[in-house]
Amino acid sequence: MPRTAHLDATFAALADPTRRAILARLALGEATVNQLTEPFSISQPAISRHLKVLEEAGLISRGRDAQRRPCRIVGDPLADVSAWLENYRRFWEARYERLDALLAEMQTPPRKSRRRVSKAAKQRAHAKKGRGS
Amino acid sequence: MPRTAHLDATFAALADPTRRAILARLALGEATVNQLTEPFSISQPAISRHLKVLEEAGLISRGRDAQRRPCRIVGDPLADVSAWLENYRRFWEARYERLDALLAEMQTPPRKSRRRVSKAAKQRAHAKKGRGS
C-alpha cells in the first residue's frame, strides 16, 4: 500500500508545530535554511532535521544550488491528504453547519430584546420631541 | 496555542494505517470494540490502544453503555485539518491542474494519427463508392 505508507509519513511530518510553521513560511515563497532558522528560537541543526523530515515526506523539495539549497513546498502529499479528507466530508462539514446555525441564530435578535430596543427607541423619540417643542 | 496542540494530536493520530482503517470502518456507522477487532489481524488490546489514541485526539467518542461502549466519529478535528489545508490549496490544486492538462492531452489525438484516420475514412468512402457504382 504505497499510498497509505505515504499518508503515514505525511501525517507524521505534519504532527509537529515547528514543521507546520516552516510550511507556513514557505507558503510565502522559497527560503534557505538560514532564512528559515531566523524566526525560530531553535538551532539551525534542529531546523535542518525538521527539513529532512519534511523532505522525506515529499512535502518540500530543495534547490540544487549547493550553497543555498532553497526549500519550497511540494503540494502532492497535501493533495493526498485532501483526497483522504474528502471521504469524511459529511463529518467535518457538520461542524460548519452547526456554526452556520449558531450565526443565523445570533443575527436574528430574540423577540424580547427586539421589544426592548423598540421601547428605548420610542423613549429617545419622545425625548427628542420634548426638546423640539 | 490550543488549536495548534490539537492539530499535533490529530495529525499524530492519523499517521497510523490501522487508526485510519478504524475511521474508515466507523464512517459506515458506529461500532463496538469487538466489531472493530474482527476485520483486523491484531489483538483486541492493540485495537483498544488505537481507540484510546483516537479518543484522546477527539476523533472518536464512545457511548456510555458500559458493556458495548460503541465508537463513532467526531468530525471537529477533521474540520480543523480541512481549515489548515485550505491555507495550502494553491499548492495541492496544482497537482489536479496537471492531471487535468494530462487528461485533456490524452483526449485530443495527435495530428498525425488524426490524418491517418482521415485517410482511412477516405479509403472506406472510396471503396463504398466503388461498390455502389
Side-chain angles (χ1 to χ4, degrees):
Chain A
M1 294 186 288
R3 270 184 73 93
T4 294
H6 197 78
L7 275 177
D8 288 3
T10 306
F11 282 129
L14 296 177
D16 181 277
T18 305
R19 289 197 287 270
R20 289 198 305 278
I22 289 172
L23 288 180
R25 165 62 189 82
L26 292 177
L28 305 175
E30 61 175 46
T32 62
V33 181
N34 280 338
Q35 288 169 323
L36 287 170
T37 306
E38 275 167 29
F40 297 102
S41 55
I42 53 178
S43 68
Q44 192 174 308
I47 291 287
S48 290
R49 279 195 294 277
H50 283 307
L51 291 178
K52 206 178 164 200
V53 175
L54 289 168
E55 198 178 4
E56 282 173 358
L59 283 160
I60 65 165
S61 69
R62 306 193 62 178
R64 292 190 179 182
D65 176 346
Q67 285 265 287
R68 295 177 63 247
R69 300 209 67 208
C71 306
R72 67 182 68 86
I73 291 181
V74 180
D76 289 18
L78 297 176
D80 287 334
V81 171
S82 164
W84 180 86
L85 203 59
E86 203 52 40
N87 301 319
Y88 300 90
R89 178 179 278 276
R90 69 181 188 281
F91 296 101
W92 53 265
E93 276 196 336
R95 180 166 77 169
Y96 291 122
E97 278 158 25
R98 283 200 306 278
L99 286 176
D100 282 347
L102 192 66
L103 272 175
E105 208 174 286
M106 284 165 74
Q107 278 161 0
T108 313
R111 284 192 179 190
K112 203 173 169 186
S113 68
R114 202 152 46 185
R115 210 180 297 145
R116 217 178 283 151
V117 168
S118 163
K119 200 178 168 187
K122 268 187 211 162
Q123 282 175 338
R124 274 199 302 277
H126 191 75
K128 223 175 182 178
K129 208 173 165 186
R131 277 201 304 275
S133 65
Chain B
M1 293 186 290
R3 269 184 74 91
T4 295
H6 197 77
L7 275 177
D8 289 2
T10 305
F11 281 129
L14 296 176
D16 181 276
T18 306
R19 288 196 290 268
R20 290 198 305 278
I22 289 172
L23 287 180
R25 166 62 190 83
L26 293 178
L28 307 174
E30 62 174 46
T32 62
V33 182
N34 280 338
Q35 287 169 324
L36 288 169
T37 305
E38 275 167 29
F40 297 102
S41 56
I42 52 179
S43 68
Q44 191 175 308
I47 292 288
S48 290
R49 277 195 296 276
H50 283 307
L51 291 178
K52 205 179 164 200
V53 175
L54 289 168
E55 197 177 5
E56 282 174 357
L59 283 158
I60 65 165
S61 68
R62 306 193 64 177
R64 292 190 181 181
D65 175 346
Q67 285 266 285
R68 297 176 64 245
R69 300 209 67 207
C71 305
R72 67 183 67 88
I73 291 181
V74 180
D76 289 18
L78 297 175
D80 286 333
V81 172
S82 165
W84 179 86
L85 203 59
E86 202 51 41
N87 301 318
Y88 300 89
R89 178 179 276 277
R90 69 183 188 281
F91 296 100
W92 53 264
E93 277 197 337
R95 179 165 79 169
Y96 292 121
E97 278 158 25
R98 285 200 304 279
L99 285 176
D100 282 346
L102 191 68
L103 271 177
E105 209 175 284
M106 283 166 73
Q107 279 161 0
T108 312
R111 281 191 180 192
K112 204 173 167 186
S113 68
R114 202 152 46 184
R115 210 180 298 146
R116 218 178 283 151
V117 167
S118 164
K119 202 178 166 187
K122 268 185 208 162
Q123 284 175 339
R124 274 199 302 275
H126 191 75
K128 222 176 182 177
K129 209 174 166 186
R131 279 200 302 275
S133 65

